[in-house]
Structure formats: structure tokens, C-alpha cells
Amino acid sequence: MRIFPVANRILIYFHREGSDFYNLWNLYCKKKKRIRLLVNAKGEKMYTVYIAKYKGDIPDFNITRVISKYMSCTDYDCGIISSPGYMNVRVGTTDEFYDKLAPAFLQSSSTNTRHIEVGIFNGMNGSNHMKGTGNTCREQHEKSIQSHQLNLITLKCKRKIDHRKMLFFMELKDNFNEILSLENYEQFLHTVTVRGVMIGSSNQSLKTYYGGSGGGSADKGEADIFMFVDDEAKNSIMEDPALNESVVISRSLHVPGDSDTDYLKSILLDFLQNSLE
């Protein structure tokens, strides 16, 4: 077993955990009275999946498979905030991207219809004009989101370029009917519980997520991590034969205090503070 410190969290390889080490670590925690295993803590565990893509890989790529597995194991009404990096620059590729991604977002462990809301930031090229339309790239993505049975989170984002590639998965606990902005983001945060955050190098585009229109092989490598709070999703990812040998899952240990969903919300807080206007 290997342990890595990350801020006030410690990541431990979940699938390499041994009972002898667990008992010794538990004893150490009790003596030091400063850290504890999440399995002995109140609340849910946070897991981190390391997702790699290599040049020449064939779709389905691991990143879309992990998203699909996660959504199919949950059933909460979900808000998704996207910081896309480089987004699609044509109407056709934008619509085809959501043709593929929207069904993954709409999956659920329940038979009930799932309510999904999606908000998208400018990324690197969202302010650029999309050829053949009167819209920017971001505006065209918003149109496509709404045409794919997804509700739109309307927001006021900065026009400056932003290279971060992030997806936030939020459980919607209460209604928020305003335009999300720097003036009201704190109220917005009171209406959600952040249950997953994807961070990495993958642009949220048809080419990077799905190999382009023809589903071609990857033209370069990528690396992403997905931090999430859900035991069933963790089991589903670990039991998927296509993912079992190609991703690494770790579990979080942390100092007493804030829950792991609070930790994920703090990432969203930082992002909104620096991205909204």
C-alpha cells in the first residue's frame, strides 16, 4: 500500500489495502489523535480515480466510461458545471458531442426521470464567434445543451481565456432560479452538495472525449482525476473489466472537521470566485 499527502487529505490506494496495515494505521491514528480513517468516520467516503488515455487508444475512452459508470450508479437531481478548456468550434461537432454526452448525463440508478442542469464557462475559445452562426462558441453550446433534454444553468462568466478543464457534479438540494454571478454564488452554493469533481488535461470536445465524428483513435495522451463520493459508483468502476486494469482508485483519509463533500465544494467555491463576474 502507498500513501500520498494531498493538502489536508491523504490518498491511499484502495485496491491495494491490506488488513494488517489497516489495523496498524488505525492504531497510529488513535495515538496521534489527529487523523482518522474515513471508514470509521461519520459521512461518506471520497474516492479518487486516476484516468489515463494514451496515443492510439480506441473509443470508448476511459474518461467517458467513468462518467457513464458514475451517473448510472446515482439518481440525485444533478447540476453539472463545465470548464471545458477548448470546446467545439462547429455547430455539427457541438451537437454530435451532446448527442453522445447527454445520454451519459441522463443515466440513473432509478427508473424515475432525472433532472439534469448544465452550465458552461468560456474556457479557451468560448468567446470566439462560431462560423455560420450569430453566436459565440459558448452560446452555441448552451443552445445544444437545451436541445438535448438538459436544462441550462445561466451564468455570467468572465471573458478571459481559461485553460482549466473541470466538471463539477452537484446534487441539487433547493431551487436556484437566478443567473449565477459573482454577486450570488454564495447563495447558490447553499443549494447544492458537490458530489464529484473531474480535473485534468482533457478538453471537453468531440475529438478528445469521443475521437471525433468517426470515433478515431486518440491522437495524444491525456490524464485526468475524478474525485467523487459514492460507494456504489466506486464498486461499479472497479468491477468494469474495461476499467479494472487501466485506472487507479484511491481512498481519502483526512483530518477531522469538514466532510469530503465540503472539501469538494471548496474547489467549486474557488473556481466560481475566480471565474464569474
Side-chain angles (χ1 to χ4, degrees):
M1 176 170 295
R2 300 173 67 187
I3 301 171
F4 300 90
V6 181
N8 68 332
R9 297 297 195 273
I10 296 175
L11 298 180
I12 187 166
Y13 279 168
F14 182 85
H15 64 294
R16 297 176 63 183
E17 182 176 349
S19 58
D20 290 341
F21 182 92
Y22 172 83
N23 292 333
L24 288 172
W25 183 257
N26 235 359
L27 180 62
Y28 173 82
C29 293
K30 289 178 180 177
K31 288 184 176 180
K32 294 297 183 181
K33 295 182 180 179
R34 61 182 181 182
I35 52 180
R36 56 188 167 85
L37 284 169
L38 275 177
V39 290
N40 289 335
K42 293 181 180 180
E44 301 169 283
K45 311 178 191 71
M46 185 181 79
Y47 301 97
T48 300
V49 184
Y50 168 71
I51 309 165
K53 181 172 77 173
Y54 303 99
K55 183 176 181 180
D57 280 359
I58 302 297
D60 292 339
F61 298 135
N62 287 335
I63 189 168
T64 53
R65 187 178 290 273
V66 167
I67 291 172
S68 181
K69 283 288 181 183
Y70 173 76
M71 295 303 287
S72 68
C73 291
T74 60
D75 64 355
Y76 59 86
D77 287 341
C78 185
I80 299 169
I81 285 182
S82 163
S83 177
Y86 283 98
M87 63 179 74
N88 303 289
V89 297
R90 295 181 177 86
V91 174
T93 53
T94 301
D95 287 339
E96 189 174 351
F97 177 63
Y98 287 109
D99 286 344
K100 295 176 180 294
L101 188 59
F105 284 166
L106 289 165
Q107 288 185 93
S108 174
S109 61
S110 169
T111 57
N112 297 328
T113 302
R114 190 169 196 174
H115 179 82
I116 304 291
E117 299 179 359
V118 180
I120 187 167
F121 281 74
N122 270 320
M124 290 295 292
N125 58 345
S127 296
N128 295 351
H129 179 75
M130 184 174 284
K131 292 181 180 180
T133 75
N135 303 316
T136 65
C137 289
R138 185 173 80 92
E139 289 169 344
Q140 192 62 39
H141 278 68
E142 290 183 328
K143 286 179 175 292
S144 191
I145 286 168
Q146 294 177 90
S147 70
H148 283 82
Q149 302 179 51
L150 305 171
N151 298 279
L152 182 67
I153 299 175
T154 306
L155 50 87
K156 294 175 62 177
C157 63
K158 294 179 179 178
R159 296 179 63 85
K160 67 178 183 180
I161 61 175
D162 190 338
H163 202 243
R164 288 174 293 183
K165 295 96 171 181
M166 307 175 77
L167 279 173
F168 296 90
F169 296 82
M170 307 166 295
E171 182 176 2
L172 304 175
K173 309 294 286 187
D174 203 352
N175 292 328
F176 183 83
N177 298 316
E178 302 177 38
I179 297 174
L180 181 58
S181 69
L182 198 59
E183 293 182 353
N184 60 23
Y185 74 92
E186 291 181 330
Q187 295 95 302
F188 171 78
L189 289 173
H190 287 302
T191 69
V192 302
T193 299
V194 182
R195 305 193 67 83
V197 181
M198 180 81 74
I199 305 174
S201 68
S202 294
N203 293 309
Q204 293 161 30
S205 67
L206 182 66
K207 178 69 173 177
T208 302
Y209 268 41
Y210 296 102
S213 294
S217 61
D219 60 352
K220 60 183 178 301
E222 306 282 359
D224 300 88
I225 61 167
F226 182 42
M227 298 176 285
F228 65 98
V229 178
D230 191 279
D231 286 345
E232 186 176 345
K234 178 266 298 180
N235 292 333
S236 180
I237 292 168
M238 289 183 67
E239 292 166 3
D240 186 333
L243 291 172
N244 184 264
E245 298 299 324
S246 57
V247 302
V248 177
I249 298 182
S250 61
R251 190 185 66 205
S252 168
L253 302 116
H254 65 86
V255 295
D258 293 342
S259 68
D260 283 305
T261 53
D262 290 332
Y263 174 65
L264 296 179
K265 182 176 283 190
S266 71
I267 300 174
L268 177 58
L269 169 66
D270 176 74
F271 174 78
L272 295 178
Q273 283 178 330
N274 292 283
S275 304
L276 291 168
E277 64 176 23

